[in-house]
Amino acid sequence: MKNNDNFFLRNTWYYALPSNQIKPGMMISRIFLGEPVLLIRDRDGKVSAMTDICPHRGVPLSCGRFDGQEVECCYHGWRFNSGGGCSAIPSLVEGQEMDLSRFDVQSYTIREAQGNIWIYMADADNPQPALDMDIPVIPGFDERSLRGATSTPQFVKVVKFPCFVDHAVVGLMDPAHSPYVHRAWWWRNEQLHEEVKQFDASPYGFTMRRHRLPANGGRLYWLIGGGVPETEISFRLPGVRIEETTIGNNRVVNLTAVTPISETETEVTFLLYWTLPWVGFFKPLIHLLAGSFIDQDRTVVEKQQIGLKYNPVLRLIKDSDIQAQWYYQLKREYARSVAEGREFLNPVKGQILRWRG
Ligand code: FES
Ligand SMILES: [Fe+2]
């Protein structure tokens, strides 16, 4: 596997930012997949997004003003509505009628749910994107089935990884690095032990079937008490991992979403949802532990970049790298299915994977 077949997957949903980072009347400038994007939340609370470049002279629209309804460019005051439609060019005088729609900026489809804002990154060559893929939903925390749980994450951590998106995703799904990268008394002991897990294909990805957490793994969950912790981990394109742990009637869900910023930078958003009200009491502890966990992943990816500069051939082995192989297969198949305008065929075949980790 060479690293030079890198590409950004398009026509899919990427995590943009946590809902609470953008209040009504606010605008935020971001870069996703190398594109400058302006996110705005209007007075009524609706989030929209458009290209953050004025079509007149190219000044970022984020340098201008947003009145809660329209964005005004700072250079000559052209105005744009939330759909990116050009609504005013102040320098035009009576009689200089113009079709302003010629100056619309590209808009992006946005969806907001469960405290998260997702952005659909369409393909410029594919103006009629296949929107059949929906945003990821965290089970049990959707608006309909709350039962005391909040519908927004109780913990959010956003970390920038200095790498191309694939390395962040593969690192996230890597089952064999934990004893080396995440050495910590509160998580697990250092001994390698054999793992045997059943995997199944699931929408746009795969799922590690629900299983009991061993007493020597995930110690934190055992500390919570109230039953035997059981975990199910699913992955789906473009880079979303959902780990759902149930302990008796309670559940803790971790959603990790990977968004490419550029060829060399990737944003990883780590979110936790839980139904245990008293876990909030441990929030500072959770911040510390989850924070150090992700930093360990980031640090090793940083080291990886030193070697990747020389574009080495990388080896994938079985079974511990099969999830990485599935990721590359899923990504290629999705890109091909979109290009050929056909149905996506999940390349993952359910099987048992065994590894020492
Ligand atoms: S550059 Fe934006 S209005 Fe002229
Ligand atoms: Fe890790």
Side-chain angles (χ1 to χ4, degrees), residues 144-162:
R144 273 160 286 126
S145 58
L146 286 179
R147 281 171 302 159
T150 59
S151 62
T152 53
Q154 282 95 333
F155 174 83
V156 179
K157 175 143 174 126
V158 184
V159 181
K160 287 222 165 66
F161 279 38

Side-chain angles (χ1 to χ4, degrees), residues 30-43:
R30 297 295 309 274
I31 297 183
F32 300 122
L33 284 67
E35 294 174 16
V37 175
L38 179 72
L39 293 133
I40 54 174
R41 190 190 287 282
D42 70 19
R43 282 191 216 120

Side-chain angles (χ1 to χ4, degrees), residues 109-180:
T109 307
I110 292 285
R111 226 162 262 172
E112 185 172 20
Q114 299 181 314
N116 303 312
I117 297 167
W118 300 85
I119 185 165
Y120 192 83
M121 298 301 288
D123 192 338
D125 305 333
N126 197 345
Q128 229 58 55
L131 270 165
D132 59 319
M133 183 196 265
D134 210 350
I135 58 167
V137 174
I138 298 137
F141 292 85
D142 44 335
E143 267 68 63
R144 273 160 286 126
S145 58
L146 286 179
R147 281 171 302 159
T150 59
S151 62
T152 53
Q154 282 95 333
F155 174 83
V156 179
K157 175 143 174 126
V158 184
V159 181
K160 287 222 165 66
F161 279 38
C163 67
F164 184 69
V165 59
D166 289 356
H167 298 297
V169 174
V170 166
L172 212 71
M173 300 309 297
D174 180 8
H177 74 289
S178 279
Y180 298 94

Side-chain angles (χ1 to χ4, degrees), residues 161 171-174 177-178 181-182 241 293-294 296-298 300:
F161 279 38
L172 212 71
M173 300 309 297
D174 180 8
H177 74 289
S178 279
V181 174
H182 303 300
R241 179 186 188 275
F293 202 80
I294 307 158
Q296 289 165 340
D297 284 317
R298 190 191 47 78
V300 77

